[in-house]
Amino acid sequence: MPEIPVSSLDPRVQKQIENSQIALQRGNLDYVLDVTTQVLKAAPGCLPVRRLQRVAQLRQLGSKNKLFAKAFGSVTQAGFLFGGKKDPSKSLENAEKMLASDPTSVPALKLLAEAAQGLDMPETVAFAWEAIHELHPTDREALLNFGEACLLAKRPKEALRAADELLKLKPQDGDALALMRKAAIAQTTTAGNWEDKGSFRDKLRDEAASTMLEQSAKIVTSEEMTQKLIDEALVRIQSQPENLNHYRSVVDGYKKLNKLEEALEYVRKARALPAGAGDTSLGKQESDLKTAIVERRIKELSGRAEAAPGDATLAAELTKAKKDFADIQLSEAKDYAERYPNDYGARFALGNLYLEAGDHQNAIANFQQAQKNPKVRVAAITGMGKALKARKMFDLAVAQLKTAKSELETMDDLKKDVIYQLAECYEAMGKKEEAITEYKILYSDDIGYRDVADKINAFYTS
């Protein structure tokens, strides 16, 4: 499957992409995502469009309900990860669906890289590994794979930079040194080389189009442009005070400038309008902004507390901020579950929050309801087992955890946690043989998991 430039697309599609750039600057993310998704269905190898889509996805992530996104997490994506791996086209489709749900998903980005490799799209492979590297800058695997992908994509300069970053992490990294040698040779042999096909003028036009899109997709508009868009929207509010779209533009602008308090002010103004009173998306935005403000406060206080470890006043403020954060999350989750009592995914999220808050009775009640949702059934059974274990109802916890263990086929982090919890229950019940049997399963698969190695060594020593 060839990777193609923007200029090779239908002129009408090119116009839509240009409009998407403008929409991105104005915060109309739905339009950008709709256009880029449709273009990529027909031309999955058009990387500038994929870059544009990713920026819109990352921005939209900030406006989603993070609480429920986190609750579903890997559970909702599990089906995509195991489907279509032998068919690169199907894998690409699955990766795109996963990234539409969570653009920060590393498994989804790895699946995208794998699919792109199978479809002979080296630039897209490099793009996927670069995205992982941006999420986890010190991850050696991501950086090394990004560098190797850049070589295959004939981008030796970037491969050299990747090798340099690797050597900063580990000065005598053999793989990094090998990458640097290969990249240096590639840079020498390909310097100034333009592909033969197509006219010089066409190549310039393609490069200009790609550069324009990538620049708009790399980082958002400048602060001056963002402020200008806010000012324009504020003027429009004066002339059309009932139009929610103008308020949304102001909110999006303030969020980009990280002026969260101002953004929250205009969300509340929008919700006070008749048209905004029942708008659930505005309700989500208010909730997310309140959460983000408290999170920022926690981060600020944490930094100050680290710098002044003996300051009791700072420590108390940090404790209060963390409690405020937990209270907001729990309150929002309870309100949502009350409005939508048959949303069993929301019940799962609420159960997790009750579990974290130490309210095990309410956690159990919500995990029981959440089991009606097939997507979170096993995770809810696991949560219920943990809540019963916390209440020292070990025999009941064992029953739940054994069920979860039997239904999990892959030895992933969730199954390891289930087995560990089960072993701890057996220990608490005085059933040492049953406990060590479970610990042995973990030891055989992952010797470094938690303190399993210590437990096994102690068992054989005794």
Side-chain angles (χ1 to χ4, degrees):
M1 186 177 292
E3 290 180 300
I4 59 175
V6 175
S7 60
S8 68
L9 300 175
D10 183 283
R12 290 171 296 181
V13 176
Q14 292 184 48
K15 184 62 178 176
Q16 285 182 315
I17 296 170
E18 289 178 16
N19 290 337
S20 294
Q21 290 177 260
I22 298 170
L24 181 70
Q25 294 173 356
R26 294 186 179 277
N28 188 354
L29 302 180
D30 289 337
Y31 177 82
V32 180
L33 292 172
D34 183 52
V35 169
T36 54
T37 299
Q38 292 305 314
V39 172
L40 289 172
K41 280 183 181 179
C46 193
L47 184 58
V49 174
R50 193 173 294 280
R51 288 188 184 279
L52 185 63
Q53 181 189 61
R54 177 159 181 79
V55 172
Q57 287 174 337
L58 288 170
R59 287 205 209 161
Q60 192 185 61
L61 184 66
S63 64
K64 285 184 177 179
N65 190 318
K66 296 178 183 178
L67 168 65
F68 298 119
K70 181 180 178 183
F72 281 102
S74 60
V75 177
T76 57
Q77 296 184 355
F80 293 127
L81 285 171
F82 297 105
K85 282 204 169 185
K86 293 182 180 179
D87 180 354
S89 297
K90 183 64 176 175
S91 292
L92 181 67
E93 181 184 336
N94 287 343
E96 289 173 338
K97 288 178 180 177
M98 293 165 65
L99 290 169
S101 172
D102 178 11
T104 65
S105 169
V106 171
L109 289 165
K110 286 184 177 179
L111 186 61
L112 174 62
E114 180 184 335
Q117 185 172 351
L119 294 169
D120 193 23
M121 298 194 302
E123 287 280 3
T124 306
V125 176
F127 161 78
W129 283 111
E130 182 180 22
I132 297 172
H133 170 55
E134 287 173 353
L135 293 169
H136 302 283
T138 60
D139 186 302
R140 179 183 178 277
E141 178 199 16
L143 191 50
L144 182 60
N145 281 316
F146 171 56
E148 295 288 355
C150 285
L151 277 181
L152 293 174
K154 298 180 181 179
R155 290 156 50 185
K157 286 185 179 179
E158 291 177 72
L160 278 172
R161 284 198 292 270
D164 186 56
E165 285 189 52
L166 282 165
L167 290 171
K168 287 178 181 177
L169 295 174
K170 185 180 177 183
Q172 296 303 318
D173 189 324
D175 291 329
L177 290 169
L179 174 63
M180 180 165 281
R181 284 194 296 271
K182 290 186 288 185
I185 293 169
Q187 186 175 21
T188 302
T189 57
T190 60
N193 183 40
W194 284 63
E195 293 183 7
D196 295 331
K197 58 183 180 180
S199 70
F200 180 76
R201 192 177 299 276
D202 286 340
K203 288 165 186 169
L204 284 177
R205 187 169 63 250
D206 290 345
E207 186 179 24
S210 295
T211 302
M212 179 178 63
L213 273 174
E214 290 183 23
Q215 284 178 344
S216 69
K218 278 246 177 195
I219 296 264
V220 214
T221 57
S222 65
E223 289 190 8
E224 293 81 3
M225 177 60 76
T226 302
Q227 187 60 56
K228 182 179 178 182
L229 293 171
I230 292 172
D231 293 340
E232 289 176 0
L234 289 171
V235 171
R236 292 196 295 272
I237 286 175
Q238 296 300 317
S239 59
Q240 296 177 307
E242 299 298 316
N243 191 324
L244 290 179
N245 289 330
H246 304 330
Y247 290 87
R248 294 186 202 278
S249 296
V250 172
V251 171
D252 288 342
Y254 278 133
K255 284 168 65 179
K256 288 171 197 170
L257 295 178
N258 202 30
K259 295 182 177 181
L260 303 183
E261 288 80 2
E262 289 87 342
L264 179 59
E265 176 189 350
Y266 275 87
V267 166
R268 286 172 170 164
K269 286 182 177 181
R271 294 196 73 191
L273 299 173
D279 191 314
T280 57
S281 66
L282 288 173
K284 277 187 179 181
Q285 274 200 316
E286 180 173 2
S287 170
D288 288 343
L289 282 166
K290 287 193 295 185
T291 302
I293 289 169
V294 177
E295 283 182 310
R296 187 173 65 182
R297 176 69 172 157
I298 290 172
K299 185 176 180 180
E300 176 201 340
L301 289 169
S302 296
R304 290 168 57 193
E306 285 180 13
D311 192 323
T313 302
L314 270 179
E317 287 183 36
L318 179 57
T319 299
K320 183 180 183 304
K322 288 180 177 179
K323 184 179 183 305
D324 289 344
F325 178 68
D327 289 345
I328 288 172
Q329 284 191 306
L330 186 57
S331 175
E332 296 293 337
K334 284 169 64 178
D335 289 346
Y336 185 91
E338 287 171 4
R339 289 198 305 273
Y340 306 100
N342 294 325
D343 186 339
Y344 300 116
R347 291 285 182 184
F348 173 67
L350 183 56
N352 277 327
L353 289 171
Y354 274 127
L355 184 62
E356 290 174 12
D359 188 342
H360 303 121
Q361 184 66 28
N362 275 319
I364 291 168
N366 282 280
F367 284 135
Q368 283 177 330
Q369 292 294 313
Q371 291 177 38
K372 296 175 184 178
N373 184 330
K375 291 182 179 179
V376 297
R377 171 182 150 72
V378 178
I381 293 172
T382 303
M384 188 170 171
K386 289 181 179 179
L388 289 165
K389 174 172 170 269
R391 296 194 69 196
K392 302 187 185 303
M393 298 177 174
F394 298 116
D395 54 338
L396 296 177
V398 164
Q400 295 295 318
L401 294 167
K402 286 175 69 176
T403 299
K405 177 186 171 184
S406 67
E407 295 191 19
L408 289 167
E409 297 180 0
T410 305
M411 185 61 82
D412 55 11
D413 288 341
L414 177 59
K415 186 163 186 174
K416 289 177 187 177
D417 183 42
V418 167
I419 295 172
Y420 191 89
Q421 298 290 336
L422 180 58
E424 285 196 323
C425 284
Y426 281 135
E427 276 193 302
M429 296 168 73
K431 297 183 177 183
K432 294 184 179 180
E433 290 297 329
E434 289 88 340
I436 206 65
T437 297
E438 301 301 329
Y439 286 132
K440 283 179 180 178
I441 294 172
L442 292 172
Y443 187 85
S444 299
D445 185 81
D446 184 356
I447 192 173
Y449 188 74
R450 300 190 189 179
D451 60 347
V452 167
D454 292 338
K455 289 181 180 293
I456 294 295
N457 291 336
F459 171 76
Y460 280 103
T461 302
S462 64

